[in-house]
Amino acid sequence: MITRQTLLSLILGIFFLFGANAAQAEIRIDITRGTVEPIPIAIPAFYAKTQNESRFGQDIAQVVMQDLMRSGLFTMVDPRSFIQDRDSLMAGPRFADWRVLNAQALVIGRIEAQTDGRLKVEFRLWDVFGEQQMTGLAYFTIPGNWRRVAHIIADAIYKRITGEDGYFDTRIVYVAESGPSTARVKRLAIMDQDGENHRILSDGRALVLTPRFSPTMQEITYMAYYNKRPRVYLFNIDTGRQEVLGNFDNMTFAPRFAPDGNKVVFSLSRNGNSDIYTMDLRSRKIAQITNHPSINTGPSYAPDGKRITFESDRGGTQQIYTMTAGGGEVKRISFGEGRYATPVWSPRGDLIAFTKQLRGRFYIGVMRPDGSGERLLTESFHVEGPTWAPNGRVLMYFKDLPSGPGGRNKKSRLYSIDLTGYNEREIPTPMDASDPAWSPLIP
């Protein structure tokens, strides 16, 4: 896998094209508000001289548009309404032509093939009403990386206008499901956050569940049933190498990496109840961090690695707790009606996402780490498994939907929603999908 650092430093050769007044640009979206009016943005196909270059220019512009539209923060100005053509745009925007279309932002791009086979891709973001350039970047890349370049451009536009890091240059690992309900095949799969570059990672001979990325994105930890025995495994994405995480006599499940990538936290079932353990991946040393005659599972680290949130029925019902990374200072934080499960700490550290079950319905919600400010974002007869985008502003999860005659069957699909709860969108997958995990930004 080509890393972001390689892409930017070696392949892309990045440089800035800021205009003199960039710091004075006034377009801004406050994405912390409950509802946001999308900004109209115009993105013509990137300018190119040859037919081959023009194909890349159209494709890159299309991916940038799709990324920004899915965020719910931007609406696209219809390209059929454009007045200024691409050739004259290279000399600079005629702002009056874009204001009449109510475009508040304008993206101008150019594609140029280099003698060494690489592509030069550049773009500029303009504030139409302020008549100022907000940002501009240029990249050199091999043609096969054009889609990543488009995601990186979308991230740059998103960050410049919102002030928050983007999340488009990321990947999703999930469980791809197929076959009848009585003989379900569940395999590891990976794809870009928009559903492209889909790839199956496991052969289906073992049932897999709860895949999770390492912070470096080189490894995935997950639970699998091999020979009807549930174990936690590590899988190297680049090499395909797989190894079992410890040779335990009992069931291990719910694995997740620590923020530094050096530990995995998981649950181990012994004598009828489960407790939470950690394993140091360098020394393979095991440490038990809960010791309670109840079910303790679903651990997730805070981004600073100092605390863990988990679910437990130690109070009589399934609820969410926090504790120190060593297992001390256990505190219950969920007190609403219903049962709470699958807690996941936000990458920003400010919220914990969860699944809630109440009166036959399932909900995805968030609360602060002290349990205050609970908000339910979406509901269904079955919705589960929240995972955070790396900027902590969007969640992905899976939802079971009725299908077939009379709704007797079901299909599982991935969805995303932002923290406002107003922008729920399906993430396309070629087959049924569950248990998603969102990667960090590709390094």
Side-chain angles (χ1 to χ4, degrees):
M1 180 181 71
I2 296 176
T3 67
R4 176 179 285 248
Q5 186 63 37
T6 300
L7 194 63
L8 297 181
S9 300
L10 302 179
I11 297 177
L12 288 177
I14 185 169
F15 60 89
F16 289 88
L17 302 167
F18 288 107
N21 297 321
Q24 301 174 13
E26 296 180 356
I27 297 179
R28 195 74 166 183
I29 299 178
D30 181 1
I31 62 176
T32 63
R33 299 195 339 245
T35 58
V36 174
E37 186 69 27
I39 283 183
I41 186 170
I43 308 180
F46 286 20
Y47 174 83
K49 292 182 179 179
T50 69
Q51 183 176 355
N52 186 52
E53 293 168 355
S54 181
R55 177 174 57 84
F56 284 110
Q58 293 171 354
D59 290 343
I60 289 175
Q62 186 66 26
V63 170
V64 173
M65 283 193 290
Q66 291 170 348
D67 280 348
L68 295 176
M69 282 194 299
R70 277 194 304 273
S71 75
L73 303 177
F74 300 86
T75 182
M76 296 299 137
V77 178
D78 189 346
R80 294 172 297 183
S81 68
F82 293 170
I83 300 170
Q84 187 175 12
D85 59 41
R86 285 189 300 165
D87 289 351
S88 64
L89 269 174
M90 292 303 97
R94 296 196 300 262
F95 294 108
D97 289 353
W98 299 99
R99 281 195 294 269
V100 75
L101 303 177
N102 195 37
Q104 295 184 35
L106 169 66
V107 177
I108 300 174
R110 180 198 297 263
I111 305 289
E112 185 178 349
Q114 306 296 291
T115 56
D116 60 3
R118 296 182 301 167
L119 294 175
K120 179 183 178 182
V121 183
E122 62 180 86
F123 85 97
R124 299 171 190 261
L125 172 66
W126 293 89
D127 178 344
V128 172
F129 286 85
E131 299 189 4
Q132 302 175 69
Q133 182 176 315
M134 299 181 70
T135 190
L137 296 167
Y139 313 88
F140 292 89
T141 182
I142 58 174
N145 285 333
W146 70 267
R147 182 174 287 275
R148 272 209 67 199
V149 171
H151 292 318
I152 292 171
I153 290 173
D155 279 335
I157 294 169
Y158 181 97
K159 184 172 184 176
R160 185 65 184 86
I161 292 180
T162 69
E164 302 278 350
D165 288 335
Y167 57 92
F168 306 118
D169 187 28
T170 55
R171 304 169 88 182
I172 304 296
V173 63
Y174 73 96
V175 175
E177 301 189 20
S178 59
S181 58
T182 55
R184 203 68 166 157
V185 176
K186 296 190 175 187
R187 297 178 290 175
L188 283 180
I190 193 169
M191 64 184 180
D192 295 347
Q193 55 79 26
D194 59 357
E196 296 292 334
N197 292 324
H198 189 273
R199 183 160 56 105
I200 298 293
L201 299 178
S202 62
D203 57 20
R205 288 182 294 178
L207 186 74
V208 298
L209 298 168
T210 62
R212 303 290 182 257
F213 277 107
S214 72
T216 64
M217 288 187 55
Q218 292 177 325
E219 289 183 311
I220 297 168
T221 184
Y222 63 98
M223 175 184 170
Y225 283 84
Y226 278 97
N227 297 321
K228 299 183 179 181
R229 188 175 184 182
R231 296 252 185 110
V232 170
Y233 290 82
L234 296 177
F235 180 89
N236 188 293
I237 298 173
D238 295 332
T239 65
R241 183 174 179 267
Q242 175 182 276
E243 61 177 312
V244 66
L245 189 69
N247 188 23
F248 302 103
D249 293 332
N250 303 87
M251 181 172 72
T252 55
F253 52 98
R256 196 179 294 269
F257 282 94
D260 62 6
N262 293 325
K263 286 184 178 180
V264 170
V265 62
F266 58 95
S267 292
L268 174 61
S269 177
R270 283 176 172 167
N271 302 320
N273 67 281
S274 62
D275 276 301
I276 296 173
Y277 292 73
T278 63
M279 173 182 280
D280 188 302
L281 296 178
R282 296 161 298 185
S283 66
R284 297 298 165 131
K285 183 179 179 180
I286 306 295
Q288 182 176 351
I289 60 173
T290 65
N291 185 10
H292 196 279
S294 61
I295 297 174
N296 304 278
T297 188
S300 172
Y301 279 95
D304 62 5
K306 295 181 179 179
R307 297 190 66 80
I308 291 173
T309 183
F310 65 102
E311 62 183 87
S312 176
D313 65 354
R314 63 180 62 197
T317 60
Q318 192 175 17
Q319 301 292 334
I320 297 175
Y321 294 77
T322 62
M323 62 182 173
T324 65
E329 301 177 18
V330 176
K331 179 183 177 182
R332 177 176 166 178
I333 65 170
S334 61
F335 290 94
E337 290 186 274
R339 295 187 294 159
Y340 293 76
T342 66
V344 189
W345 221 304
S346 163
R348 301 168 64 92
D350 58 340
L351 294 169
I352 292 173
F354 58 85
T355 302
K356 180 174 183 174
Q357 187 176 4
L358 176 64
R359 301 187 187 100
R361 301 287 290 178
F362 282 79
Y363 302 80
I364 298 292
V366 294
M367 66 175 67
R368 298 189 187 97
D370 63 2
S372 64
E374 179 179 326
R375 289 187 293 121
L376 302 179
L377 303 178
T378 187
E379 68 168 302
S380 179
F381 82 94
H382 185 215
V383 59
E384 197 171 352
T387 180
W388 290 96
N391 69 351
R393 293 298 184 190
V394 181
L395 287 163
M396 189 176 294
Y397 46 90
F398 73 95
K399 182 187 297 188
D400 287 338
L401 302 170
S403 67
R408 291 190 297 272
N409 300 321
K410 70 172 186 177
K411 60 180 181 179
S412 298
R413 294 290 186 266
L414 303 185
Y415 285 79
S416 67
I417 196 166
D418 63 21
L419 289 181
T420 69
Y422 290 99
N423 183 36
E424 185 178 51
R425 294 175 183 263
E426 182 179 347
I427 309 301
T429 55
M431 58 191 74
D432 281 1
S434 62
D435 286 340
W438 213 318
S439 81
L441 280 173
I442 298 177

